[in-house]
Amino acid sequence: MVDSAHFLRRDALVSLRERLSDPDGHHDSVISHLDALEDAIRVAGRPSSSRLIPGLFDLVPVALFIVGESGRVLDANDAAGRLIGRDRAELLGTSDSSLLGGIGSGPTATPANLHHGELLPHGELRALTHADGHTVYCQIHTAASAQHDGTRLWLKVAQDVTSQQQRIEQLHHRANHDELTGLPNRQGLHALLATHLAQGPSTGFAVLFCDIDNFKRVNDSWGHVIGDELLITVARMLADALPHDCRVGRFSGDEFLVTCPDVAVHGGLETFAARVSGILRASLPLGGRIVRISGSVGAAAINGNAATFGDLVRFADAAMFDAKRRGTGRVAIADTTPDNTSTGQLDLEDQLRAALANDGLALHYQPLVDAQGRTTGAEALLRWPHPQRGVLAPDVILPLAEQGDLLAELDRWVLRTALAEAATWPEIDIAVNLSGPPTNEPGQLETLSTLVTDSGIDPHRVILELTETALLELPLLQRHAMGHLTERGVAFAIDDFGTGYSSLARLREMPAQIIKLDRTFLPTTDADDTSVAIIRAIVDLCRATGHHCIAEGVETRVQRDLLAHLGIDAYQGWLFGHPVPAAEFRRNVTTDLRG
């Protein structure tokens, strides 16, 4: 057995303690135990001694493993045995890679170039198997040392992070699945297909865009409860009736996506689309009545001109509109040849470009309300009053802008217009969404900063919103530019917080002051214990990191009261006001503030 006391020399302990003291680490319990070890060395009267009080290694209540050059465990304390439900003696001689088998970026590391007192740059997330079969997630931190004879050793400190990892996995699942139907959402479908599509275009891979006919009439006539029941039933019908190799997800509202890896196996695109249309043609018992439904289906398959998931969704969506124009229960196949504009996609991009150039877009505003119910600001929401299609929302506009390379220009138009309109309001905040990372054009952030200056508005009133994914993708130069804006008073908000996998772990890296909790996490009733627990954890995180927390999508007083009890700072949602045009919002907020 290795001389465990020798390994825990004071300089190695100090370097390990400093690593774990990283403010991003949250390893207070481990630090306290290492402090105790260091204090014991100092009390012994030999600060540089290579010996410890006998038995102290075994008394430390944190799992410690000592690994030799052979990659096998030479020693472990009792806490290590308790961590995985095995007797300490069973651990000795066990392969490091099998015992601390990983879910991270490779096998547990004991690199030869790690010198005495040094640590691996980051802890590694590992999955250990407990004796009873369940998985224990641990953060493994590694430090290097050597015995008197020069033999190298590695100390691995294992901190149990199972509960934190389970919360992250739960958040990840919720971010990728529709709460109502349990189906993968848009992001979840894309994640499921990413590996398949990364292998290159596959002829026969198809996407079907399905829209329930006259769904709004069902909602308006019989209420949202029946509407939700209809959506759940349709989701189950599709999932049960589709071939096992196909997938179905809820895209948004009453829209569903069906993916098929090879439509040739199922009779070709036209036959498969007709099959899906048949599934959607049904009479359903809902709310004590029989509801007859049908669906409009647009279908697109990969070829040389539509080779990505995004391409297929856009073509299938446009084909679905063609089907709907011809009546209910119809099917349309997208023509994806470059010179064919039957989908209207290229025409719509040109129309958007013209609308941008001629101020043909509009902004609506939804109030932001503080914990006392006072209006403190508004979020600008993009609308396109299209002469033929009616008022189009961002979920239609943004994909068009991205395809036409118009995102940066769109961001500038929105910010310039919102600042000009907000200048006529009382002194409340104006929040503006940026459509993606502000890196799509050189100097984009500097341009936005100039727009704030030219508007004459107090920068402390301006909030710029970005998704957490966009913030994490920012290069260093752009982070510096954001820092200059922040110094002037502009605040940055993380929009739709919780929908990105790494948000909790990397929150401190994001140069933002505000977190906007995504509506998918809001509880529907006071008995929704899971949602309440998740929100409480996020609010605690905000408190610990100094972030202001806003809840989006608040629609009921039950939600507002629950959120207030949990400590949310501010709210946004239909309970406090629907998005309205600028003039109407100005009248409303002026009246409210005077009252």
Side-chain angles (χ1 to χ4, degrees), residues 486-500:
T486 301
E487 290 171 2
R488 294 183 54 200
V490 174
F492 285 88
I494 306 172
D495 195 21
D496 301 332
F497 180 78
T499 60

Side-chain angles (χ1 to χ4, degrees), residues 50-321:
S50 64
R51 304 292 298 176
L52 280 175
I53 297 172
L56 188 56
F57 178 79
D58 297 328
L59 295 177
V60 176
V62 175
L64 302 175
F65 301 86
I66 294 180
V67 179
E69 291 182 328
S70 65
R72 297 189 176 276
V73 175
L74 302 179
D75 201 356
N77 63 357
D78 291 336
R82 290 193 299 271
L83 179 68
I84 53 179
R86 296 170 62 181
D87 186 81
R88 169 183 172 180
E90 296 180 51
L91 306 180
L92 305 184
T94 305
S95 167
D96 173 30
S97 59
S98 63
L99 181 63
L100 305 181
I103 61 172
S105 57
T108 52
T110 51
N113 60 351
L114 196 66
H115 301 298
H116 176 74
E118 291 184 342
L119 297 129
L120 289 178
H122 304 286
E124 297 176 286
L125 183 62
R126 298 289 161 184
L128 282 61
T129 302
H130 193 274
D132 64 11
H134 80 270
T135 299
V136 180
Y137 292 100
C138 289
Q139 197 78 19
I140 308 292
H141 291 267
T142 304
S145 189
Q147 297 199 95
H148 287 301
D149 61 2
T151 303
R152 283 177 296 184
L153 304 169
W154 289 268
L155 171 68
K156 292 179 181 279
V157 180
Q159 184 186 17
D160 188 346
V161 294
T162 302
S163 60
Q164 298 95 311
Q165 182 64 20
Q166 288 173 342
R167 284 197 296 270
I168 289 174
E169 290 176 354
Q170 185 179 43
L171 287 173
H172 180 249
H173 181 272
R174 295 191 65 169
N176 287 277
H177 289 80
D178 174 55
E179 185 174 7
L180 178 66
T181 64
L183 294 176
N185 58 18
R186 188 183 325 187
Q187 179 174 311
L189 277 172
H190 195 280
L192 283 172
L193 298 171
T195 302
H196 177 87
L197 295 174
Q199 298 171 1
S202 172
T203 301
F205 185 92
V207 166
L208 278 64
F209 203 108
C210 309
D211 181 90
I212 300 174
D213 296 323
N214 301 316
F215 178 74
K216 185 176 186 298
R217 188 171 65 186
V218 174
N219 261 344
D220 293 345
S221 300
W222 297 320
H224 290 281
V225 172
I226 298 299
D228 286 351
E229 189 178 348
L230 172 57
L231 292 172
I232 293 170
T233 302
V234 169
R236 185 171 61 247
M237 287 166 47
L238 287 169
D240 290 345
L242 287 171
H244 73 277
D245 59 337
C246 299
R247 297 288 182 269
V248 58
R250 186 182 176 198
F251 194 74
S252 66
D254 62 333
E255 298 172 336
F256 294 83
L257 278 185
V258 173
T259 65
C260 180
D262 188 358
V263 291
V265 174
H266 304 293
L269 185 58
E270 291 82 358
T271 299
F272 185 67
R275 178 177 178 179
V276 172
S277 177
I279 297 171
L280 295 174
R281 190 177 299 110
S283 296
L284 308 175
L286 299 172
R289 57 177 60 86
I290 298 297
V291 179
R292 293 175 176 81
I293 67 165
S294 63
S296 300
V297 177
I302 279 183
N303 62 24
N305 307 302
T308 70
F309 179 63
D311 288 336
L312 290 180
V313 170
R314 288 188 292 104
F315 280 113
D317 185 14
M320 183 274 294
F321 276 106

